[in-house]
PDB file of all heavy atoms in Angstrom:
ATOM      1  N   MET A 132     116.161  62.736 199.239  1.00 98.00           N
ATOM      2  CA  MET A 132     115.480  61.632 200.013  1.00 98.00           C
ATOM      3  C   MET A 132     116.507  60.542 200.220  1.00 98.00           C
ATOM      4  O   MET A 132     117.130  60.077 199.212  1.00 98.00           O
ATOM      5  CB  MET A 132     114.279  61.140 199.312  1.00 98.00           C
ATOM      6  CG  MET A 132     113.728  60.028 200.108  1.00 98.00           C
ATOM      7  SD  MET A 132     112.002  59.584 199.546  1.00 98.00           S
ATOM      8  CE  MET A 132     111.178  59.399 201.027  1.00 98.00           C
ATOM      9  N   CYS A 138     118.487  50.929 204.111  1.00 97.00           N
ATOM     10  CA  CYS A 138     119.849  50.907 203.733  1.00 97.00           C
ATOM     11  C   CYS A 138     120.509  49.727 204.481  1.00 97.00           C
ATOM     12  O   CYS A 138     120.243  49.576 205.669  1.00 97.00           O
ATOM     13  CB  CYS A 138     120.503  52.209 204.130  1.00 97.00           C
ATOM     14  SG  CYS A 138     122.198  52.436 203.413  1.00 97.00           S
ATOM     15  N   TYR A 151     112.224  49.714 195.676  1.00 97.00           N
ATOM     16  CA  TYR A 151     112.528  50.743 196.659  1.00 97.00           C
ATOM     17  C   TYR A 151     112.846  52.045 195.910  1.00 97.00           C
ATOM     18  O   TYR A 151     112.473  53.187 196.373  1.00 97.00           O
ATOM     19  CB  TYR A 151     113.697  50.340 197.609  1.00 97.00           C
ATOM     20  CG  TYR A 151     113.322  49.140 198.414  1.00 97.00           C
ATOM     21  CD1 TYR A 151     114.349  48.476 199.160  1.00 97.00           C
ATOM     22  CD2 TYR A 151     112.073  48.641 198.555  1.00 97.00           C
ATOM     23  CE1 TYR A 151     114.070  47.377 199.920  1.00 97.00           C
ATOM     24  CE2 TYR A 151     111.758  47.495 199.383  1.00 97.00           C
ATOM     25  CZ  TYR A 151     112.789  46.963 200.008  1.00 97.00           C
ATOM     26  OH  TYR A 151     112.542  45.764 200.854  1.00 97.00           O
ATOM     27  N   SER A 152     113.668  51.979 194.931  1.00 98.00           N
ATOM     28  CA  SER A 152     114.054  53.178 194.176  1.00 98.00           C
ATOM     29  C   SER A 152     112.866  53.860 193.570  1.00 98.00           C
ATOM     30  O   SER A 152     112.668  55.078 193.687  1.00 98.00           O
ATOM     31  CB  SER A 152     115.007  52.850 193.092  1.00 98.00           C
ATOM     32  OG  SER A 152     116.171  52.222 193.547  1.00 98.00           O
ATOM     33  N   ILE A 156     111.328  57.543 193.919  1.00 98.00           N
ATOM     34  CA  ILE A 156     111.045  58.464 192.758  1.00 98.00           C
ATOM     35  C   ILE A 156     109.566  58.918 192.801  1.00 98.00           C
ATOM     36  O   ILE A 156     109.295  60.061 192.585  1.00 98.00           O
ATOM     37  CB  ILE A 156     111.375  57.679 191.502  1.00 98.00           C
ATOM     38  CG1 ILE A 156     112.958  57.509 191.430  1.00 98.00           C
ATOM     39  CG2 ILE A 156     110.873  58.462 190.278  1.00 98.00           C
ATOM     40  CD1 ILE A 156     113.417  56.632 190.260  1.00 98.00           C
ATOM     41  N   LYS A 184     113.315  56.813 180.875  1.00 98.00           N
ATOM     42  CA  LYS A 184     112.134  56.642 179.917  1.00 98.00           C
ATOM     43  C   LYS A 184     110.885  57.150 180.552  1.00 98.00           C
ATOM     44  O   LYS A 184     109.968  57.734 179.916  1.00 98.00           O
ATOM     45  CB  LYS A 184     111.959  55.165 179.582  1.00 98.00           C
ATOM     46  CG  LYS A 184     112.885  54.870 178.426  1.00 98.00           C
ATOM     47  CD  LYS A 184     112.487  53.328 177.917  1.00 98.00           C
ATOM     48  CE  LYS A 184     113.715  52.561 177.572  1.00 98.00           C
ATOM     49  NZ  LYS A 184     113.888  51.339 178.322  1.00 98.00           N
ATOM     50  N   VAL A 188     111.560  64.751 183.097  1.00 97.00           N
ATOM     51  CA  VAL A 188     112.592  65.640 183.329  1.00 97.00           C
ATOM     52  C   VAL A 188     113.871  64.897 183.149  1.00 97.00           C
ATOM     53  O   VAL A 188     113.958  63.670 183.158  1.00 97.00           O
ATOM     54  CB  VAL A 188     112.540  66.165 184.817  1.00 97.00           C
ATOM     55  CG1 VAL A 188     111.314  67.222 184.946  1.00 97.00           C
ATOM     56  CG2 VAL A 188     112.507  65.142 185.855  1.00 97.00           C
ATOM     57  N   ILE A 194     127.066  56.599 187.517  1.00 98.00           N
ATOM     58  CA  ILE A 194     128.056  55.613 187.076  1.00 98.00           C
ATOM     59  C   ILE A 194     128.864  56.246 185.806  1.00 98.00           C
ATOM     60  O   ILE A 194     130.103  56.260 185.815  1.00 98.00           O
ATOM     61  CB  ILE A 194     127.379  54.368 186.749  1.00 98.00           C
ATOM     62  CG1 ILE A 194     126.979  53.710 188.148  1.00 98.00           C
ATOM     63  CG2 ILE A 194     128.340  53.422 186.040  1.00 98.00           C
ATOM     64  CD1 ILE A 194     126.331  52.303 188.062  1.00 98.00           C
ATOM     65  N   VAL A 212     137.661  49.630 190.894  1.00 98.00           N
ATOM     66  CA  VAL A 212     136.301  50.074 191.160  1.00 98.00           C
ATOM     67  C   VAL A 212     135.829  49.376 192.526  1.00 98.00           C
ATOM     68  O   VAL A 212     135.913  48.118 192.577  1.00 98.00           O
ATOM     69  CB  VAL A 212     135.216  49.611 190.159  1.00 98.00           C
ATOM     70  CG1 VAL A 212     133.905  50.271 190.546  1.00 98.00           C
ATOM     71  CG2 VAL A 212     135.701  50.096 188.789  1.00 98.00           C
ATOM     72  N   THR A 215     129.211  48.506 196.111  1.00 98.00           N
ATOM     73  CA  THR A 215     128.365  47.525 196.774  1.00 98.00           C
ATOM     74  C   THR A 215     128.414  46.283 196.068  1.00 98.00           C
ATOM     75  O   THR A 215     128.787  46.226 194.825  1.00 98.00           O
ATOM     76  CB  THR A 215     126.974  48.061 196.955  1.00 98.00           C
ATOM     77  OG1 THR A 215     126.382  48.133 195.725  1.00 98.00           O
ATOM     78  CG2 THR A 215     126.898  49.410 197.696  1.00 98.00           C
ATOM     79  N   ALA A 217     125.916  44.656 194.776  1.00 97.00           N
ATOM     80  CA  ALA A 217     124.962  44.839 193.671  1.00 97.00           C
ATOM     81  C   ALA A 217     125.599  45.617 192.453  1.00 97.00           C
ATOM     82  O   ALA A 217     125.499  45.278 191.351  1.00 97.00           O
ATOM     83  CB  ALA A 217     123.704  45.478 194.013  1.00 97.00           C
ATOM     84  N   PRO A 243     131.063  45.349 201.228  1.00 97.00           N
ATOM     85  CA  PRO A 243     129.841  45.430 201.833  1.00 97.00           C
ATOM     86  C   PRO A 243     129.857  45.995 203.305  1.00 97.00           C
ATOM     87  O   PRO A 243     128.874  46.497 203.743  1.00 97.00           O
ATOM     88  CB  PRO A 243     129.331  43.946 201.827  1.00 97.00           C
ATOM     89  CG  PRO A 243     130.458  43.119 201.536  1.00 97.00           C
ATOM     90  CD  PRO A 243     131.448  43.948 200.777  1.00 97.00           C
ATOM     91  N   GLU A 250     126.791  54.858 207.652  1.00 97.00           N
ATOM     92  CA  GLU A 250     125.438  55.120 208.131  1.00 97.00           C
ATOM     93  C   GLU A 250     125.407  55.208 209.735  1.00 97.00           C
ATOM     94  O   GLU A 250     124.491  55.977 210.223  1.00 97.00           O
ATOM     95  CB  GLU A 250     124.473  54.042 207.768  1.00 97.00           C
ATOM     96  CG  GLU A 250     124.120  54.059 206.282  1.00 97.00           C
ATOM     97  CD  GLU A 250     123.116  55.072 205.872  1.00 97.00           C
ATOM     98  OE1 GLU A 250     122.171  55.311 206.665  1.00 97.00           O
ATOM     99  OE2 GLU A 250     123.305  55.791 204.827  1.00 97.00           O
ATOM    100  N   GLU A 274     148.574  47.201 191.062  1.00 97.00           N
ATOM    101  CA  GLU A 274     149.245  48.336 190.374  1.00 97.00           C
ATOM    102  C   GLU A 274     148.292  49.366 189.792  1.00 97.00           C
ATOM    103  O   GLU A 274     148.478  49.835 188.703  1.00 97.00           O
ATOM    104  CB  GLU A 274     150.223  47.869 189.352  1.00 97.00           C
ATOM    105  CG  GLU A 274     151.390  47.111 189.949  1.00 97.00           C
ATOM    106  CD  GLU A 274     152.281  46.411 188.932  1.00 97.00           C
ATOM    107  OE1 GLU A 274     152.249  46.767 187.787  1.00 97.00           O
ATOM    108  OE2 GLU A 274     152.984  45.490 189.359  1.00 97.00           O
ATOM    109  N   SER A 299     149.878  57.297 195.671  1.00 97.00           N
ATOM    110  CA  SER A 299     150.096  57.228 194.180  1.00 97.00           C
ATOM    111  C   SER A 299     148.778  56.898 193.453  1.00 97.00           C
ATOM    112  O   SER A 299     148.770  56.816 192.219  1.00 97.00           O
ATOM    113  CB  SER A 299     151.222  56.153 193.865  1.00 97.00           C
ATOM    114  OG  SER A 299     150.676  54.976 194.407  1.00 97.00           O
ATOM    115  N   SER A 305     132.203  60.300 191.962  1.00 93.00           N
ATOM    116  CA  SER A 305     131.400  60.827 190.832  1.00 93.00           C
ATOM    117  C   SER A 305     130.796  62.204 191.011  1.00 93.00           C
ATOM    118  O   SER A 305     130.229  62.778 190.144  1.00 93.00           O
ATOM    119  CB  SER A 305     130.259  59.870 190.606  1.00 93.00           C
ATOM    120  OG  SER A 305     130.552  58.535 190.648  1.00 93.00           O
ATOM    121  N   PRO A 328     118.908  82.531 199.957  1.00 82.00           N
ATOM    122  CA  PRO A 328     119.417  81.164 199.838  1.00 82.00           C
ATOM    123  C   PRO A 328     118.266  80.195 199.435  1.00 82.00           C
ATOM    124  O   PRO A 328     117.214  80.374 200.012  1.00 82.00           O
ATOM    125  CB  PRO A 328     120.141  80.803 201.205  1.00 82.00           C
ATOM    126  CG  PRO A 328     119.783  81.911 202.089  1.00 82.00           C
ATOM    127  CD  PRO A 328     119.143  83.035 201.362  1.00 82.00           C
ATOM    128  N   GLU A 344     122.896  64.810 211.985  1.00 97.00           N
ATOM    129  CA  GLU A 344     124.338  64.904 212.516  1.00 97.00           C
ATOM    130  C   GLU A 344     125.250  64.675 211.311  1.00 97.00           C
ATOM    131  O   GLU A 344     126.211  65.438 211.183  1.00 97.00           O
ATOM    132  CB  GLU A 344     124.499  63.681 213.465  1.00 97.00           C
ATOM    133  CG  GLU A 344     125.125  64.155 214.770  1.00 97.00           C
ATOM    134  CD  GLU A 344     125.208  62.949 215.705  1.00 97.00           C
ATOM    135  OE1 GLU A 344     126.092  62.118 215.521  1.00 97.00           O
ATOM    136  OE2 GLU A 344     124.205  62.749 216.565  1.00 97.00           O
TER     137      GLU A 344
END
Side-chain angles (χ1 to χ4, degrees):
M132 181 167 225
C138 189
Y151 295 168
S152 302
I156 292 172
K184 276 193 219 116
V188 292
I194 292 181
V212 184
T215 66
E250 287 285 319
E274 291 172 23
S299 60
S305 313
E344 229 177 82

